[in-house]
Amino acid sequence: MSDPTLELKAPPALKPGTMRIIPLGGIGEVGRNMTVFELDGKLIIVDCGVLFPEEHQPGVDLILPDITSIRDRLDDVVAVVLTHGHEDHIGAVPYLLRLRKDIPLVGSQLTLALIEAKLAEHRIKPYTLAVKEGQVEQLGPFSCEFVAVNHSIPDALAVFMRTSAGSVLHTGDFKMDQLPLDGRITDLRAFARLGEEGVDLFMVDSTNADVPGFMSSEREIGPTLDRVIGQARKRVIVASFSSHIHRVQQVLDAAQAHGRKVAFVGRSMVRNMSIASQLGYLHIPEGILVDLKRVDDYPQERIVLMSTGSQGEPMAALSRMANGDHRVQVGRGDTVILASSLIPGNENAVYRVINGLMKLGADVVHKGNAKVHVSGHAAAGELLYCYNIVRPRQVMPVHGEVRHLIANGKLAQATGLAEEDVLLTDDGSVIDMTDGVARVVGGIECGFIYVDGTTVGEITDDDLKDRRILGDEGFISIVTVVNRHNGTIVSGPEIHARGFAEDEKVFGEIIPKISEALHEAVQSGPGSAHTTYQLQQIVRRVVGTWVNRRYKRRPMIIPVVLEA
């Protein structure tokens, strides 16, 4: 297995008849899934999702795939194939279509409905092609056959690409629930048929590759939800992904069984459940829904709130409830159910919400203390089954952190694949396939594109570093006025600090040292060679050294030297 962290050289020019594969997101991380395939001058994109920021990325709203390498090639894109409707697979589509609005979107009925609603908020009306399992579409030089797979959202699809350079089966996100709520299982018969035809490269979901055995069935969650809702004394608040239609269906069924009304909380929850209901994926019992504004008209023991915010997102409904700044005021006797798994990196945010809710007196039920969620991704046992059914020539683990990718690669080897036929890659890796054989041939620069308010790509890692310093270490500014003609300090040094020390008297011992250092510099003679910038750097060094030695801190230091 190749090392995914290995620094790669620039790729060679693409040869005629060779297909190039470049993952631009989702490799080495859980989110922002996007892979570009190029053949005969045409591009096809599989998924275009977002990654949600972690605590060390303050102020960031979303993180997008880095499309710099194809930005001037968008006219060559024949389609964006969307495997399913989760944000980490469709969330970046609006930002891509801002650059070219008529890129065709291909996906299942529900997936396209979800992305169309999202695009309407961006005032973009897309070109779409709805496909079903078993359907084959010729998209430029790519013949794409779609295969039903089971996931934590209905209507998910894998895609099998037949090309002159070889064949690729991309699973998207999937698991092998044998008793799914909607009866739509992963089509292993189709996987076996494609395996018989010949799968040159199998691109496989790795998210749960390090989890032994098999995932439990979604049906096992229903009794737990029913019991918790039935035993609750007051209101029940259930937090889940706004696209987890199966989980919402289970909550609706349990609420009806215990005579409770249900209100949807959160704009995306209201929007997605409306779409799912209209298309027949969600069955809402007659008279069970009430508007959030009317929940106070009912006794608390007759209400269930279905909310967003299961990952501790700061602006989501549940986080605001925990902070006490939502119209829904959580109180003693309320029951909160977090019906989701923890996305890596979100643990601290989720536990902060749990602590906040418990401090308000709520009983919090989560995956750690009750069976209220099962993952939507195949565990190791399921992946082994797939490898043995498909018998691919080569494997490229996708969708997961490095530990997941490596675990998935080892599973593939355990079923008989040679080490060199397991391609461990990273975002920006370049894989070329010729005559059905894929090899990593280089890499391209592939960073994070940050969405911050209305700006896209303007915030850099250096900006985030500055924000972290400001948040963790504080800010010190030093203003000094000097007279360069006679070499004297006219005013200052005047020090202001934020987030460093409550009492600015602590700077009394450093002010004389700043004055002395500046005095020595400007006294080297009228018209000294020291520039204003050099004087500022002198101040920065003096203050930085003192702060580090005295307080073991590294605040942001902004020296300002003005000339009188």
Side-chain angles (χ1 to χ4, degrees):
M1 288 189 293
S2 54
D3 183 352
T5 63
L6 192 64
E7 187 172 341
L8 298 172
K9 62 183 183 300
L14 184 58
K15 297 178 181 178
T18 296
M19 178 166 61
R20 177 156 288 177
I21 305 168
I22 306 178
L24 297 181
I27 310 290
E29 63 205 357
V30 179
R32 68 167 194 154
N33 300 288
M34 182 176 183
T35 306
V36 177
F37 298 80
E38 179 179 358
L39 180 63
D40 298 338
K42 298 297 181 183
L43 310 177
I44 192 170
I45 297 170
V46 175
D47 289 327
C48 187
V50 297
L51 178 67
F52 293 101
E54 298 182 25
E55 289 184 328
H56 66 276
Q57 294 158 329
V60 174
D61 299 315
L62 298 170
I63 304 171
L64 309 179
D66 187 352
I67 65 164
T68 305
S69 60
I70 62 167
R71 194 180 181 95
D72 60 353
R73 300 278 314 277
L74 295 183
D75 287 341
D76 297 328
V77 177
V78 296
V80 175
V81 173
L82 302 171
T83 59
H84 63 280
H86 280 153
E87 284 293 299
D88 58 336
H89 291 257
I90 69 171
V93 170
Y95 301 95
L96 179 65
L97 264 56
R98 283 183 186 180
L99 304 176
R100 181 191 155 196
K101 290 183 172 61
D102 62 347
I103 298 177
L105 305 181
V106 181
S108 66
Q109 181 186 40
L110 177 62
T111 302
L112 292 180
L114 293 174
I115 190 58
E116 284 171 345
K118 181 180 290 292
L119 287 167
E121 297 179 357
H122 292 258
R123 299 180 181 178
I124 297 174
K125 185 171 178 58
Y127 290 85
T128 60
L129 173 64
V131 294
K132 296 180 178 180
E133 53 265 30
Q135 189 168 335
V136 179
E137 292 291 337
Q138 189 70 38
L139 304 170
F142 307 90
S143 175
C144 296
E145 179 177 343
F146 300 92
V147 181
V149 292
N150 176 245
H151 187 40
S152 54
I153 186 173
D155 243 6
L157 295 168
V159 58
F160 180 62
M161 289 191 286
R162 299 177 178 91
T163 76
S164 58
S167 61
V168 178
L169 176 56
H170 193 306
T171 65
D173 285 351
F174 85 110
K175 62 177 177 177
M176 288 166 51
D177 190 339
Q178 298 305 298
L179 296 171
L181 295 176
D182 60 1
R184 185 175 179 271
I185 63 173
T186 294
D187 192 349
L188 297 180
R189 296 176 66 187
F191 274 23
R193 173 175 55 82
L194 297 174
E196 289 295 324
E197 179 181 328
V199 174
D200 294 318
L201 183 63
F202 195 20
M203 300 177 68
V204 189
D205 178 13
S206 306
T207 309
N208 277 341
D210 59 349
V211 177
F214 290 72
M215 281 296 117
S216 301
S217 173
E218 293 279 349
R219 290 183 186 271
E220 296 184 20
I221 305 304
T224 304
L225 290 173
D226 184 82
R227 174 179 56 79
V228 174
I229 291 175
Q231 294 176 351
R233 293 170 292 160
K234 292 186 178 180
R235 292 176 302 182
V236 177
I237 302 165
V238 185
S240 177
F241 292 117
S242 62
S243 54
H244 204 329
I245 295 165
H246 294 323
R247 191 70 69 247
V248 174
Q249 184 69 66
Q250 290 173 311
V251 171
L252 288 170
D253 294 343
Q256 183 189 33
H258 295 284
R260 290 178 179 255
K261 300 289 186 181
V262 177
F264 293 139
V265 185
R267 185 180 63 168
S268 59
M269 180 68 74
V270 173
R271 180 191 68 200
N272 290 349
M273 292 311 117
S274 175
I275 292 170
S277 176
Q278 291 170 14
L279 295 178
Y281 294 96
L282 182 71
H283 303 288
I284 301 176
E286 182 105 22
I288 197 172
L289 286 186
V290 296
D291 191 280
L292 181 61
K293 297 175 182 176
R294 290 193 54 220
V295 294
D296 293 337
D297 298 342
Y298 298 86
Q300 290 191 344
E301 66 272 15
R302 289 289 174 260
I303 287 293
V304 174
L305 302 174
M306 191 71 224
S307 172
T308 58
S310 62
Q311 296 301 311
E313 306 96 313
M315 296 309 295
L318 192 66
S319 294
R320 292 166 57 202
M321 291 179 202
N323 294 332
D325 62 355
H326 193 274
R327 62 167 291 142
V328 176
Q329 296 293 308
V330 176
R332 191 162 303 280
D334 288 339
T335 299
V336 180
I337 304 172
L338 273 72
S340 67
S341 59
L342 283 177
I343 293 177
N346 292 351
E347 294 89 349
N348 290 340
V350 172
Y351 291 131
R352 190 179 303 117
V353 169
I354 291 174
N355 289 330
L357 292 167
M358 294 187 73
K359 188 178 292 186
L360 294 171
D363 297 319
V364 181
V365 180
H366 53 87
K367 189 179 178 182
N369 58 24
K371 198 172 186 63
V372 291
H373 180 73
V374 296
S375 176
H377 303 269
E382 296 159 81
L383 295 174
L384 289 171
Y385 257 85
C386 286
Y387 287 133
N388 286 327
I389 289 170
V390 176
R391 306 303 294 178
R393 295 186 179 93
Q394 292 179 285
V395 164
M396 177 177 161
V398 296
H399 303 175
E401 297 180 350
V402 172
R403 59 194 171 98
H404 304 128
L405 303 176
I406 291 174
N408 201 354
K410 289 181 178 178
L411 293 175
Q413 285 185 268
T415 63
L417 265 77
E419 183 176 357
E420 61 268 21
D421 289 328
V422 176
L423 307 181
L424 287 186
T425 60
D426 204 347
D427 291 341
S429 294
V430 177
I431 302 94
D432 281 357
M433 175 182 282
T434 307
D435 296 329
V437 178
R439 289 287 179 260
V440 178
V441 297
I444 61 171
E445 192 71 30
C446 188
F448 283 1
I449 303 299
Y450 299 108
V451 178
D452 185 349
T454 59
T455 68
V456 178
E458 295 182 17
I459 299 298
T460 66
D461 287 326
D462 287 339
D463 295 322
L464 293 183
K465 181 179 178 182
D466 288 345
R467 290 181 181 181
R468 289 193 296 272
I469 292 172
L470 284 169
D472 297 339
E473 304 288 350
F475 166 88
I476 300 174
S477 68
I478 310 99
V479 181
T480 311
V481 181
V482 299
N483 187 319
R484 296 292 293 276
H485 297 290
N486 58 22
T488 61
I489 297 175
V490 178
S491 174
E494 186 176 325
I495 298 181
H496 301 278
R498 290 291 182 273
F500 177 77
E502 292 184 10
D503 188 354
E504 294 191 359
K505 292 179 180 178
V506 300
F507 298 111
E509 64 181 89
I510 189 60
I511 288 176
K513 296 179 181 179
I514 299 171
S515 299
E516 181 181 347
L518 283 175
H519 186 73
E520 289 181 2
V522 297
Q523 282 294 325
S524 56
S528 162
H530 285 96
T531 65
T532 300
Y533 173 77
Q534 289 171 328
L535 294 176
Q536 289 174 167
Q537 292 304 101
I538 290 171
V539 175
R540 188 193 305 275
R541 281 194 297 272
V542 171
V543 175
T545 300
W546 172 76
V547 168
N548 187 259
R549 288 177 179 171
R550 181 79 166 76
Y551 294 97
K552 300 295 187 283
R553 299 270 297 274
R554 301 178 69 88
M556 180 175 289
I557 299 171
I558 308 294
V560 179
V561 175
L562 304 174
E563 292 188 34

